[in-house]
Amino acid sequence: MAAQQPCILAIESSCDDTSAGVIRVGKILSNVIASQAIHAKYGGIVPEVASRLHQENITLVVDDALKKAGISLKELDAIACTTGPGLMGSLTVGLSFAKGMALSLGIPFIAVNHMRAHVLSHFIDDPKPAFPFLCLTVSGGHTQIVLVKSFDEMEVVGQTLDDAAGEAFDKSGKILGLPYPAGPLIDKLAKEGTPNIPFPIPQIDKLDFSFSGLKTAILYYIRDHQKEDPDFIKKNLADICASIQHTIVEILARKISFAADMYDIREIGIAGGVAANSGLRNRLLELSKKNDWNVYFPAMQYCTDNAGMIAIAAHYQFLEGRFSGLDIAPYVRGN
Ligand code: KG4
Ligand code: ZN
Protein backbone atom coordinates (compact mmCIF):
# COMPACT_ATOMS: atom_id res chain seq x y z
CA MET A 1 0.00 0.00 0.00
CA ALA A 2 1.30 3.45 -0.94
CA ALA A 3 0.91 4.87 2.59
CA GLN A 4 1.39 8.54 1.78
CA GLN A 5 0.22 8.45 -1.84
CA PRO A 6 -3.15 6.74 -1.68
CA CYS A 7 -5.33 6.07 -4.68
CA ILE A 8 -8.94 5.78 -3.51
CA LEU A 9 -12.27 5.03 -5.20
CA ALA A 10 -15.15 6.90 -3.48
CA ILE A 11 -18.89 6.27 -3.78
CA GLU A 12 -21.79 8.56 -2.78
CA SER A 13 -25.44 7.45 -2.89
CA SER A 14 -27.03 9.08 0.17
CA CYS A 15 -29.91 10.81 -1.61
CA ASP A 16 -30.89 10.90 -5.30
CA ASP A 17 -27.52 11.23 -7.06
CA THR A 18 -25.37 8.17 -7.77
CA SER A 19 -21.76 9.30 -7.84
CA ALA A 20 -18.29 7.76 -7.97
CA GLY A 21 -14.88 9.36 -8.15
CA VAL A 22 -11.19 8.60 -7.90
CA ILE A 23 -8.58 10.56 -5.94
CA ARG A 24 -4.82 10.01 -6.10
CA VAL A 25 -2.36 11.80 -3.83
CA GLY A 26 -5.10 14.30 -2.89
CA LYS A 27 -6.00 15.15 -6.52
CA ILE A 28 -9.44 14.35 -7.91
CA LEU A 29 -9.02 12.36 -11.14
CA SER A 30 -12.74 11.84 -11.82
CA ASN A 31 -16.13 12.79 -10.38
CA VAL A 32 -19.01 11.09 -12.20
CA ILE A 33 -22.57 11.98 -11.17
CA ALA A 34 -25.78 10.31 -12.42
CA SER A 35 -28.78 12.42 -11.38
CA GLN A 36 -32.31 11.08 -11.10
CA ALA A 37 -34.57 13.50 -12.98
CA ILE A 38 -37.61 11.27 -12.42
CA HIS A 39 -38.27 12.78 -8.94
CA ALA A 40 -39.34 16.10 -10.54
CA LYS A 41 -42.48 14.28 -11.68
CA TYR A 42 -43.45 13.60 -8.04
CA GLY A 43 -42.51 17.06 -6.67
CA GLY A 44 -39.86 15.57 -4.35
CA ILE A 45 -37.62 12.56 -3.80
CA VAL A 46 -39.37 9.18 -3.59
CA PRO A 47 -36.96 7.05 -1.49
CA GLU A 48 -37.99 3.69 -2.96
CA VAL A 49 -37.53 4.97 -6.52
CA ALA A 50 -34.17 6.53 -5.55
CA SER A 51 -32.72 3.28 -4.20
CA ARG A 52 -33.89 1.27 -7.23
CA LEU A 53 -32.24 3.76 -9.59
CA HIS A 54 -29.02 3.71 -7.55
CA GLN A 55 -29.02 -0.04 -8.10
CA GLU A 56 -29.42 0.41 -11.86
CA ASN A 57 -26.74 3.11 -12.08
CA ILE A 58 -24.01 2.12 -9.68
CA THR A 59 -22.02 -0.36 -11.77
CA LEU A 60 -21.90 1.97 -14.78
CA VAL A 61 -21.05 5.04 -12.68
CA VAL A 62 -18.17 3.27 -10.88
CA ASP A 63 -16.89 1.85 -14.16
CA ASP A 64 -17.02 5.29 -15.76
CA ALA A 65 -15.23 6.92 -12.80
CA LEU A 66 -12.35 4.40 -13.06
CA LYS A 67 -12.13 4.80 -16.86
CA LYS A 68 -12.16 8.62 -16.72
CA ALA A 69 -9.44 8.52 -14.05
CA GLY A 70 -7.40 6.02 -16.08
CA ILE A 71 -7.07 3.83 -12.98
CA SER A 72 -7.33 0.02 -12.86
CA LEU A 73 -8.74 -1.91 -9.90
CA LYS A 74 -5.30 -3.18 -8.86
CA GLU A 75 -4.02 0.40 -8.47
CA LEU A 76 -6.61 1.18 -5.75
CA ASP A 77 -5.40 1.38 -2.12
CA ALA A 78 -8.84 1.77 -0.50
CA ILE A 79 -12.58 2.02 -1.18
CA ALA A 80 -14.56 4.83 0.49
CA CYS A 81 -18.30 5.33 0.76
CA THR A 82 -20.85 7.59 2.45
CA THR A 83 -22.38 5.75 5.41
CA GLY A 84 -24.76 8.55 6.48
CA PRO A 85 -26.68 10.68 7.06
CA GLY A 86 -29.09 10.00 4.22
CA LEU A 87 -31.93 7.81 2.98
CA MET A 88 -31.55 4.28 4.33
CA GLY A 89 -32.30 2.48 1.05
CA SER A 90 -30.08 4.79 -1.02
CA LEU A 91 -27.15 4.50 1.42
CA THR A 92 -27.47 0.72 1.52
CA VAL A 93 -26.97 0.39 -2.25
CA GLY A 94 -23.69 2.36 -2.31
CA LEU A 95 -22.42 0.86 0.92
CA SER A 96 -23.05 -2.76 -0.11
CA PHE A 97 -21.31 -2.15 -3.42
CA ALA A 98 -18.33 -0.44 -1.77
CA LYS A 99 -17.93 -3.12 0.89
CA GLY A 100 -18.12 -5.81 -1.79
CA MET A 101 -15.32 -4.13 -3.74
CA ALA A 102 -13.11 -3.67 -0.66
CA LEU A 103 -13.62 -7.32 0.29
CA SER A 104 -12.96 -8.73 -3.17
CA LEU A 105 -9.87 -6.55 -3.74
CA GLY A 106 -8.58 -7.17 -0.20
CA ILE A 107 -8.07 -3.43 0.50
CA PRO A 108 -9.26 -1.22 3.40
CA PHE A 109 -12.70 0.35 3.62
CA ILE A 110 -13.19 4.00 4.64
CA ALA A 111 -16.59 5.10 6.01
CA VAL A 112 -17.29 8.78 5.28
CA ASN A 113 -19.85 11.06 6.92
CA HIS A 114 -21.75 13.03 4.27
CA MET A 115 -21.90 16.31 6.24
CA ARG A 116 -18.18 16.25 7.04
CA ALA A 117 -17.48 15.58 3.38
CA HIS A 118 -19.48 18.69 2.36
CA VAL A 119 -17.20 20.69 4.71
CA LEU A 120 -14.02 19.08 3.34
CA SER A 121 -15.05 19.83 -0.26
CA HIS A 122 -13.15 23.09 0.40
CA PHE A 123 -9.89 21.14 0.25
CA ILE A 124 -10.32 19.88 -3.32
CA ASP A 125 -9.16 23.02 -5.14
CA ASP A 126 -7.24 26.18 -4.28
CA PRO A 127 -7.65 28.55 -2.49
CA LYS A 128 -8.25 26.49 0.66
CA PRO A 129 -9.46 27.89 4.01
CA ALA A 130 -7.08 28.00 6.97
CA PHE A 131 -8.03 26.34 10.28
CA PRO A 132 -10.05 27.24 12.25
CA PHE A 133 -12.80 28.24 9.84
CA LEU A 134 -16.58 28.41 9.89
CA CYS A 135 -18.49 26.41 7.31
CA LEU A 136 -22.08 27.18 6.41
CA THR A 137 -23.38 23.90 4.95
CA VAL A 138 -26.64 24.52 3.12
CA SER A 139 -28.35 21.75 1.18
CA GLY A 140 -31.76 20.23 0.56
CA GLY A 141 -31.54 18.18 3.75
CA HIS A 142 -29.29 20.21 6.07
CA THR A 143 -28.46 23.70 7.27
CA GLN A 144 -25.53 23.88 9.68
CA ILE A 145 -22.82 26.20 10.86
CA VAL A 146 -19.76 24.09 11.62
CA LEU A 147 -16.68 25.22 13.51
CA VAL A 148 -13.87 23.38 11.71
CA LYS A 149 -10.67 23.07 13.74
CA SER A 150 -8.89 20.41 11.68
CA PHE A 151 -9.67 17.73 9.07
CA ASP A 152 -11.15 15.66 11.87
CA GLU A 153 -12.26 18.06 14.61
CA MET A 154 -15.59 19.64 13.69
CA GLU A 155 -18.32 21.02 15.92
CA VAL A 156 -21.85 21.86 14.77
CA VAL A 157 -22.49 25.23 16.47
CA GLY A 158 -25.81 26.06 14.78
CA GLN A 159 -28.44 24.23 12.77
CA THR A 160 -31.98 24.42 11.49
CA LEU A 161 -34.79 23.68 13.90
CA ASP A 162 -37.15 22.67 11.06
CA ASP A 163 -36.71 22.90 7.26
CA ALA A 164 -33.31 23.12 5.56
CA ALA A 165 -32.45 26.15 3.40
CA GLY A 166 -32.71 24.12 0.17
CA GLU A 167 -36.01 22.69 1.37
CA ALA A 168 -37.25 26.27 1.93
CA PHE A 169 -36.44 27.06 -1.72
CA ASP A 170 -38.07 23.83 -2.91
CA LYS A 171 -41.24 24.15 -0.79
CA SER A 172 -41.67 27.83 -1.73
CA GLY A 173 -41.34 26.79 -5.37
CA LYS A 174 -44.00 24.15 -4.91
CA ILE A 175 -46.44 26.81 -3.61
CA LEU A 176 -45.69 28.81 -6.78
CA GLY A 177 -46.22 25.75 -8.99
CA LEU A 178 -42.52 25.47 -9.97
CA PRO A 179 -40.98 22.04 -10.68
CA TYR A 180 -38.73 20.24 -8.13
CA PRO A 181 -36.00 21.14 -7.20
CA ALA A 182 -37.08 24.79 -7.34
CA GLY A 183 -33.86 26.33 -5.94
CA PRO A 184 -32.04 26.83 -9.27
CA LEU A 185 -35.21 28.17 -10.96
CA ILE A 186 -35.98 30.65 -8.14
CA ASP A 187 -32.35 31.79 -8.41
CA LYS A 188 -32.80 32.41 -12.16
CA LEU A 189 -36.19 34.17 -11.85
CA ALA A 190 -34.99 36.28 -8.91
CA LYS A 191 -32.48 37.96 -11.22
CA GLU A 192 -35.36 39.52 -13.18
CA GLY A 193 -37.31 40.70 -10.11
CA THR A 194 -37.17 43.08 -7.16
CA PRO A 195 -37.30 41.85 -3.55
CA ASN A 196 -40.26 44.11 -2.69
CA ILE A 197 -42.31 41.74 -0.50
CA PRO A 198 -41.25 41.92 3.16
CA PHE A 199 -41.48 38.26 4.24
CA PRO A 200 -40.61 37.97 7.95
CA ILE A 201 -37.11 37.09 9.21
CA PRO A 202 -37.54 34.80 12.24
CA GLN A 203 -35.83 35.77 15.49
CA ILE A 204 -34.23 32.52 16.60
CA ASP A 205 -31.81 32.23 19.51
CA LYS A 206 -28.06 32.03 18.98
CA LEU A 207 -26.85 30.28 15.82
CA ASP A 208 -29.90 28.18 15.00
CA PHE A 209 -32.15 28.68 11.97
CA SER A 210 -35.83 28.31 11.18
CA PHE A 211 -37.39 28.33 7.72
CA SER A 212 -40.85 26.86 8.25
CA GLY A 213 -42.43 30.26 9.07
CA LEU A 214 -41.37 31.59 5.68
CA LYS A 215 -43.24 28.81 3.91
CA THR A 216 -46.44 29.66 5.85
CA ALA A 217 -45.99 33.40 5.19
CA ILE A 218 -45.67 32.75 1.44
CA LEU A 219 -48.69 30.46 1.46
CA TYR A 220 -50.93 33.10 3.13
CA TYR A 221 -49.53 35.93 1.00
CA ILE A 222 -50.27 34.03 -2.22
CA ARG A 223 -53.71 32.88 -1.02
CA ASP A 224 -54.78 36.44 -0.09
CA HIS A 225 -53.57 37.98 -3.36
CA GLN A 226 -55.00 35.22 -5.52
CA LYS A 227 -58.45 35.99 -4.10
CA GLU A 228 -58.26 39.41 -5.79
CA ASP A 229 -56.42 38.27 -8.91
CA PRO A 230 -56.25 34.58 -9.95
CA ASP A 231 -53.24 35.42 -12.18
CA PHE A 232 -51.31 37.01 -9.31
CA ILE A 233 -48.45 34.47 -9.34
CA LYS A 234 -47.98 34.66 -13.11
CA LYS A 235 -47.92 38.47 -13.12
CA ASN A 236 -45.54 38.81 -10.15
CA LEU A 237 -43.42 35.64 -10.32
CA ALA A 238 -40.01 37.35 -10.63
CA ASP A 239 -40.66 39.72 -7.69
CA ILE A 240 -42.01 36.87 -5.52
CA CYS A 241 -38.91 34.76 -6.30
CA ALA A 242 -36.58 37.71 -5.62
CA SER A 243 -38.31 38.28 -2.26
CA ILE A 244 -38.15 34.60 -1.26
CA GLN A 245 -34.46 34.41 -2.18
CA HIS A 246 -33.71 37.68 -0.41
CA THR A 247 -35.35 36.40 2.80
CA ILE A 248 -33.56 33.02 2.79
CA VAL A 249 -30.21 34.68 2.01
CA GLU A 250 -30.76 37.26 4.77
CA ILE A 251 -31.52 34.54 7.36
CA LEU A 252 -28.29 32.74 6.39
CA ALA A 253 -26.19 35.92 6.17
CA ARG A 254 -27.24 37.19 9.61
CA LYS A 255 -26.40 33.90 11.32
CA ILE A 256 -23.01 33.43 9.68
CA SER A 257 -22.16 37.06 10.58
CA PHE A 258 -23.19 36.39 14.17
CA ALA A 259 -21.04 33.23 14.23
CA ALA A 260 -18.02 35.07 12.77
CA ASP A 261 -18.27 37.70 15.53
CA MET A 262 -18.93 35.15 18.25
CA TYR A 263 -15.85 33.03 17.40
CA ASP A 264 -13.79 35.92 16.02
CA ILE A 265 -13.14 33.95 12.82
CA ARG A 266 -12.69 35.54 9.42
CA GLU A 267 -12.28 32.39 7.32
CA ILE A 268 -15.76 31.45 6.02
CA GLY A 269 -16.62 28.48 3.79
CA ILE A 270 -19.98 27.84 2.10
CA ALA A 271 -20.83 24.28 1.03
CA GLY A 272 -23.83 22.22 -0.17
CA GLY A 273 -26.29 22.64 -3.04
CA VAL A 274 -27.54 26.08 -1.95
CA ALA A 275 -23.94 27.38 -2.15
CA ALA A 276 -24.68 27.51 -5.89
CA ASN A 277 -27.21 30.32 -5.26
CA SER A 278 -26.08 33.58 -6.88
CA GLY A 279 -27.88 35.76 -4.31
CA LEU A 280 -26.10 34.00 -1.44
CA ARG A 281 -22.75 34.25 -3.21
CA ASN A 282 -23.17 37.98 -3.85
CA ARG A 283 -24.33 38.69 -0.30
CA LEU A 284 -21.37 36.83 1.19
CA LEU A 285 -18.90 38.57 -1.09
CA GLU A 286 -20.41 41.88 0.05
CA LEU A 287 -20.02 40.84 3.70
CA SER A 288 -16.47 39.66 3.07
CA LYS A 289 -15.50 43.13 1.82
CA LYS A 290 -17.25 44.86 4.70
CA ASN A 291 -15.87 42.57 7.44
CA ASP A 292 -12.53 41.63 5.92
CA TRP A 293 -13.46 37.93 5.63
CA ASN A 294 -11.96 35.37 3.28
CA VAL A 295 -14.95 33.55 1.74
CA TYR A 296 -14.56 30.15 0.03
CA PHE A 297 -16.98 28.40 -2.35
CA PRO A 298 -16.15 24.95 -3.78
CA ALA A 299 -16.52 24.56 -7.58
CA MET A 300 -20.17 23.95 -8.56
CA GLN A 301 -19.63 20.21 -9.23
CA TYR A 302 -18.45 19.82 -5.61
CA CYS A 303 -21.36 21.83 -4.08
CA THR A 304 -24.26 19.48 -4.86
CA ASP A 305 -23.94 15.84 -3.75
CA ASN A 306 -20.88 14.28 -5.37
CA ALA A 307 -18.23 11.59 -4.82
CA GLY A 308 -15.37 14.10 -5.12
CA MET A 309 -16.10 15.41 -1.63
CA ILE A 310 -16.27 11.82 -0.28
CA ALA A 311 -12.92 11.16 -1.95
CA ILE A 312 -11.17 14.16 -0.36
CA ALA A 313 -12.57 13.27 3.09
CA ALA A 314 -11.38 9.67 2.56
CA HIS A 315 -7.92 10.92 1.53
CA TYR A 316 -7.39 12.63 4.90
CA GLN A 317 -8.91 9.69 6.80
CA PHE A 318 -6.47 7.39 4.96
CA LEU A 319 -3.48 9.54 5.94
CA GLU A 320 -4.62 9.43 9.58
CA GLY A 321 -5.26 5.66 9.44
CA ARG A 322 -8.99 6.02 10.08
CA PHE A 323 -10.40 2.89 8.43
CA SER A 324 -13.63 1.01 9.18
CA GLY A 325 -14.63 -2.62 9.54
CA LEU A 326 -17.00 -4.09 6.99
CA ASP A 327 -19.61 -4.52 9.72
CA ILE A 328 -20.36 -0.76 9.71
CA ALA A 329 -24.07 0.02 9.15
CA PRO A 330 -25.65 3.01 7.35
CA TYR A 331 -27.36 5.69 9.47
CA VAL A 332 -30.15 8.16 8.69
CA ARG A 333 -29.00 10.97 11.06
CA GLY A 334 -25.76 12.12 12.66
CA ASN A 335 -22.57 14.05 12.09
O1 KG4 B 1 -26.42 19.31 -1.63
P1 KG4 B 1 -27.58 18.96 -2.49
O2 KG4 B 1 -27.32 18.58 -3.93
O3 KG4 B 1 -28.35 17.73 -1.94
C1 KG4 B 1 -28.63 17.54 -0.60
O4 KG4 B 1 -27.76 16.98 0.12
O5 KG4 B 1 -29.74 17.93 -0.22
O6 KG4 B 1 -28.60 20.17 -2.43
C2 KG4 B 1 -29.80 20.19 -3.16
C3 KG4 B 1 -30.56 21.46 -2.80
C4 KG4 B 1 -31.97 21.53 -3.36
O7 KG4 B 1 -32.83 21.91 -2.34
C5 KG4 B 1 -31.88 22.60 -4.44
O8 KG4 B 1 -33.08 23.31 -4.65
C6 KG4 B 1 -30.79 23.49 -3.87
O9 KG4 B 1 -29.86 22.61 -3.30
N1 KG4 B 1 -30.14 24.31 -4.90
C7 KG4 B 1 -30.27 25.65 -4.97
C8 KG4 B 1 -29.53 26.08 -6.10
N2 KG4 B 1 -28.96 24.97 -6.68
C9 KG4 B 1 -29.35 23.90 -5.92
N3 KG4 B 1 -30.94 26.51 -4.18
C10 KG4 B 1 -30.88 27.82 -4.49
N4 KG4 B 1 -30.22 28.31 -5.56
C11 KG4 B 1 -29.53 27.48 -6.39
N5 KG4 B 1 -28.86 27.99 -7.44
ZN1 ZN C 1 -25.55 16.79 0.61
Side-chain angles (χ1 to χ4, degrees):
M1 190 188 305
Q4 290 307 313
Q5 312 211 325
C7 183
I8 305 167
L9 170 77
I11 294 173
E12 152 67 36
S13 71
S14 65
C15 196
D16 61 334
D17 292 319
T18 319
S19 184
V22 177
I23 189 166
R24 189 174 56 193
V25 205
K27 275 222 152 320
I28 302 287
L29 302 183
S30 63
N31 181 39
V32 176
I33 304 171
S35 298
Q36 303 179 358
I38 191 168
H39 301 287
K41 210 167 85 181
Y42 304 106
I45 293 164
V46 184
E48 181 61 24
V49 173
S51 51
R52 280 170 196 270
L53 285 178
H54 281 307
Q55 239 157 4
E56 276 179 29
N57 291 339
I58 193 140
T59 312
L60 288 172
V61 168
V62 167
D63 201 38
D64 202 21
L66 288 166
K67 275 204 188 99
K68 286 206 165 95
I71 291 290
S72 65
L73 289 174
K74 62 178 187 314
E75 289 175 86
L76 293 173
D77 296 307
I79 306 289
C81 185
T82 310
T83 38
L87 299 170
M88 187 49 81
S90 293
L91 288 165
T92 303
V93 175
L95 190 53
S96 312
F97 196 91
K99 284 179 181 176
M101 280 190 81
L103 188 66
S104 66
L105 295 170
I107 55 178
F109 175 72
I110 302 174
V112 176
N113 177 282
H114 182 88
M115 300 311 295
R116 286 170 165 258
H118 268 303
V119 171
L120 294 177
S121 63
H122 286 103
F123 293 91
I124 294 175
D125 292 323
D126 286 326
K128 302 176 171 82
F131 296 118
F133 70 95
L134 287 166
C135 185
L136 174 66
T137 312
V138 271
S139 70
H142 303 272
T143 302
Q144 296 183 334
I145 296 180
V146 186
L147 173 59
V148 191
K149 298 176 194 162
S150 70
F151 293 117
D152 184 33
E153 262 181 296
M154 299 184 198
E155 189 188 336
V156 178
V157 292
Q159 57 193 319
T160 183
L161 303 175
D162 39 58
D163 294 345
E167 209 176 350
F169 273 106
D170 297 338
K171 287 183 175 171
S172 305
K174 200 167 184 175
I175 297 171
L176 302 176
L178 301 177
Y180 176 89
L185 200 54
I186 291 181
D187 190 359
K188 191 165 160 240
L189 290 163
K191 289 186 182 128
E192 294 149 28
T194 310
N196 53 9
I197 309 161
F199 291 123
I201 308 255
Q203 303 300 313
I204 307 294
D205 253 10
K206 298 185 184 142
L207 297 177
D208 288 333
F209 305 86
S210 170
F211 291 99
S212 64
L214 172 64
K215 187 180 57 196
T216 316
I218 296 166
L219 195 65
Y220 288 161
Y221 178 86
I222 298 293
R223 189 194 59 185
D224 293 348
H225 284 80
Q226 269 184 329
K227 271 188 206 148
E228 290 155 23
D229 179 1
D231 286 336
F232 181 78
I233 294 181
K234 213 161 104 193
K235 288 179 187 160
N236 298 282
L237 189 57
D239 288 349
I240 301 169
C241 287
S243 305
I244 291 169
Q245 178 162 301
H246 174 79
T247 310
I248 295 172
V249 166
E250 220 30 55
I251 294 172
L252 296 171
R254 287 186 191 186
K255 290 294 181 176
I256 195 71
S257 300
F258 186 30
D261 287 346
M262 195 164 152
Y263 291 97
D264 195 18
I265 288 178
R266 300 209 144 18
E267 295 281 296
I268 313 284
I270 320 292
V274 182
N277 185 266
S278 61
L280 181 62
R281 286 179 173 239
N282 291 338
R283 184 77 179 103
L284 286 158
L285 289 173
E286 238 174 66
L287 284 169
S288 76
K289 280 191 198 122
K290 184 172 156 230
N291 300 319
D292 205 17
W293 294 347
N294 292 318
V295 176
Y296 303 87
F297 298 96
M300 291 291 191
Q301 63 166 321
Y302 304 124
C303 282
T304 47
D305 288 347
N306 68 91
M309 68 182 195
I310 306 304
I312 194 80
H315 171 77
Y316 290 108
Q317 286 182 223
F318 188 107
L319 296 187
E320 290 168 11
R322 287 189 280 132
F323 301 103
S324 294
L326 293 180
D327 54 345
I328 190 157
Y331 47 93
V332 175
R333 284 184 195 82
N335 282 289

